Amino acid sequence: MRHRVRGRGLGRTTSHRTALKRNLLTSLFAHGRIVTTLPKAKEYRPYAEKLITRAKVKSLHNIRRVARTIQDKTVLKKLFDEIGPHFADRNGGYTRILKLAKPRLGDNGAQAIFELVGFSSDQSGEKSK
């Protein structure tokens, strides 16, 4: 029975999943768009949404709560100075998951683009549609 068992295991230990979450969300906020597997994108979307909601109000408490997950100081600063204010007038739905047609070559895993809605990254040089 799987009573009260939530989330996907993703074939990893607890510490590995925690590290995966931190790295995936840090990359998402640093670049604005990442390509990952569909189950990872679906699993970590709610975490990204909650971090952006916290980043909309820049207070010491919110900074410390978000810094538990986002441990890169430059990405943390970008989240609170650029991404949070960008979504200040939006009540949710900050991220988008787009399924890619072709699966990953090595193991046939379903791929997806995990991106921030309407936020163009300065580093990639491309505008989001």
Side-chain angles (χ1 to χ4, degrees):
M1 288 186 252
R2 54 179 323 269
H3 297 284
R4 297 173 61 101
V5 177
R6 296 187 63 196
R8 294 170 175 86
L10 298 173
R12 291 164 168 82
T13 61
T14 305
S15 59
H16 193 174
R17 275 195 309 273
T18 303
L20 173 69
K21 176 174 73 169
R22 287 178 178 165
N23 291 331
L24 193 119
L25 294 177
T26 300
S27 295
L28 175 66
F29 296 137
H31 302 292
R33 169 185 295 179
I34 58 173
V35 177
T36 185
T37 62
L38 188 60
K40 285 182 200 171
K42 286 182 176 181
E43 179 67 20
Y44 295 117
R45 181 183 200 166
Y47 294 103
E49 300 271 341
K50 287 174 182 136
L51 291 178
I52 294 172
T53 300
R54 284 215 176 259
K56 287 165 59 172
V57 177
K58 188 174 183 177
S59 67
L60 182 61
H61 179 66
N62 285 343
I63 292 171
R64 286 178 174 167
R65 290 290 301 266
V66 173
R68 292 177 185 177
T69 304
I70 306 299
Q71 296 179 339
D72 185 356
K73 291 185 179 185
T74 57
V75 175
L76 189 67
K77 183 169 175 45
K78 180 179 179 179
L79 182 61
F80 277 92
D81 293 343
E82 297 175 27
I83 298 172
H86 177 76
F87 292 117
D89 57 341
R90 193 177 180 108
N91 290 328
Y94 313 116
T95 59
R96 174 185 302 137
I97 298 174
L98 300 170
K99 295 180 197 175
L100 292 177
K102 292 188 177 182
R104 192 164 52 196
L105 196 57
D107 60 355
N108 207 26
Q111 287 188 308
I113 295 175
F114 188 27
E115 67 182 1
L116 299 174
V117 174
F119 188 79
S120 62
S121 177
D122 298 331
Q123 296 173 350
S124 66
E126 60 182 91
K127 301 262 181 182
S128 61
K129 298 175 185 174

